[in-house]
Amino acid sequence: MLFIFRDDPRVNAVQRGAIDGVAFATSLVIAPLDAWDRLGNALQSRSSLQEEVLRLQQENRVLKGQSQRLASLLSENARYKALLNSARDIGDDLIAAQITSLSPDPARHIVMLDKGVNDGVVDGQPVLGAEGLIGQVTSSGNRNSRVVLITDSAHALPVQVNRSGLRAIAEGSGSIDRLVIRHLPATTDIRVGDLLVTSGLGGRFPQGYPVARVTEVIVLEGDAFATVFAAPSSLLDRGRYVLIVMWGDLQREAAP
Amino acid sequence: MIERTQALWVIYVSLGIALMTMLLPLPMEWRIVRPDFVALTLFYWVLALPHRVGVATAFGTGLAQDLIEGAPLGISCFGLMLATLVLLFSYQRIRQFDGLQQSLVMLALMVLSSGIEGWLRTGVDLPTLPLTALLGFAMSMLCWIPTRHVCRQLRRHYGVV
């Protein structure tokens, strides 16, 4: 019955409220565990905290240095693009969010974020981890949203080999450390270690974000196609902090 | 004599608590062995009070489960409803079974309901459970006796009829 009403706006409204409800229930369930974590943090020794501050300062300095170069490279790039008469890249806005929980469904790779419509989240926005793309927003409540990770076996995204510019579709494999590219001609120039970046085709993901690195290229003799496996650049099951990218038409549609 | 409804809320609270166990955080790869307390609790109540808990409750439970999982609404309802129907037809016999036999029945029901869910998922192009999900069913099977014990204590303590 409910399949028929799957796209009914009323069901969607219920689902939107439900996302917030589920997130709230989850926060209730994990509150004791969270409190335990916080206690551990509070009891962390002063010296180890100082060490960490030092380490982070160092890291910050290195990153600042690198970003200085980035700025000059960006302007240089913009000049080249101007020379080539192509459209100028607009920097993407980012929303920082936190992963609060994981869907209990073992067949899916869905996580819950603590940002929702109220924070400017729109369905379809790409989500970045520390080292690359990790997924996209599929449904959002008012204060929370659900993100399907790129390794979910119902997910596929257009990528491009950074070295050669070769375009392909990277599908999720259902295992957290693996993407699959099928139906590449066996003679294709793709090697272990190649970086896959988003190609920007289809308009869902902005171009140029790192996605995965090729780990295995399988060409069976006599087969017309190669199967390529790649490991996501970001460790999808580690780390809690992610960035939601606001870009392109999605954002304009959402603006009142 | 007509039995009066009493302390029905215990049923719904216990189902709610079972749903809460779905929300407990587990590492990604370990979610598969999480025992399905929701189905076990539901099956217990169907077995114990078939005149109170039936297909409609199974439907509601399935809906709640889908909301929590973020799956299309209703996708896990049909499996649970069918398993409940099987229980409703045969609860008198299953009540006579000992713990182990009942556990095996629960395993069969769990495989039935998730099999149906799998079909529906295939129908809407969603990923289905891998074969390792059998481990999860085995875990659920092991949890049947403790779940039955806890629910029975609840039922007797609050006199749910």
Side-chain angles (χ1 to χ4, degrees), chain A:
Chain A
M1 287 170 279
L2 283 163
F3 289 115
I4 302 166
F5 298 115
R6 203 153 54 108
D7 297 322
D8 193 290
R10 279 167 293 178
V11 173
N12 288 343
V14 171
Q15 230 158 0
R16 178 177 281 198
I19 288 172
D20 287 335
V22 168
F24 179 67
T26 312
S27 68
L28 283 187
V29 171
I30 62 177
L33 300 168
D34 246 17
W36 181 253
D37 264 6
R38 266 184 219 153
L39 192 70
N41 281 341
L43 295 181
Q44 223 175 19
S45 74
R46 193 184 143 82
S47 65
S48 77
L49 284 177
Q50 273 173 338
E51 257 170 46
E52 192 168 352
V53 166
L54 272 180
R55 193 180 58 74
L56 289 175
Q57 277 175 345
Q58 203 118 25
E59 202 178 304
N60 193 19
R61 238 169 276 144
V62 173
L63 290 174
K64 264 188 181 158
Q66 284 173 354
S67 70
Q68 284 169 15
R69 261 187 64 219
L70 185 75
S72 72
L73 284 176
L74 268 180
S75 60
E76 192 181 332
N77 199 4
R79 274 198 305 273
Y80 285 139
K81 283 207 168 147
L83 284 176
L84 289 170
N85 262 339
S86 64
R88 198 165 58 89
D89 269 343
I90 301 159
D92 302 324
D93 277 340
L94 301 170
I95 310 172
Q98 209 176 3
I99 295 176
T100 51
S101 68
L102 197 60
S103 163
D105 182 354
R108 307 294 312 268
H109 292 171
I110 300 178
V111 295
M112 184 85 85
L113 298 187
D114 65 346
K115 291 284 154 61
V117 173
N118 291 354
D119 307 285
V121 175
V122 183
D123 289 1
Q125 278 172 339
V127 179
L128 304 178
E131 267 107 43
L133 193 79
I134 66 164
Q136 60 172 309
V137 177
T138 49
S139 55
S140 35
N142 291 327
R143 286 180 306 282
N144 303 89
S145 51
R146 280 206 173 94
V147 169
V148 167
L149 302 182
I150 50 175
T151 49
D152 186 287
S153 42
H155 193 270
L157 79 157
V159 293
Q160 189 172 20
V161 177
N162 203 27
R163 178 173 56 82
S164 58
L166 172 82
R167 289 185 301 272
I169 303 283
E171 300 165 29
S173 64
S175 99
I176 194 67
D177 52 2
R178 197 135 100 145
L179 295 173
V180 192
I181 301 177
R182 296 190 180 93
H183 314 305
L184 272 184
T187 51
T188 305
D189 174 27
I190 187 164
R191 291 185 223 136
V192 171
D194 278 350
L195 180 69
L196 304 175
V197 299
T198 48
S199 70
L201 291 185
R204 178 56 61 97
F205 298 103
Q207 194 208 337
Y209 284 112
V211 176
R213 211 167 263 287
V214 175
T215 53
E216 207 180 348
V217 179
I218 301 173
V219 186
L220 292 178
E221 225 162 297
D223 255 7
F225 296 107
T227 306
V228 176
F229 291 112
S233 313
S234 265
L235 291 169
L236 300 185
D237 49 353
R238 307 266 193 293
R240 298 187 61 161
Y241 297 96
V242 297
L243 297 167
I244 305 171
V245 186
M246 325 232 330
W247 79 290
D249 302 334
L250 287 169
Q251 203 187 333
R252 252 167 266 143
E253 277 167 28

Side-chain angles (χ1 to χ4, degrees), chain B residues 45-60:
Chain B
W45 287 115
V46 176
L47 214 50
L49 304 169
H51 53 292
R52 295 271 176 257
V53 178
V55 177
T57 317
F59 183 80

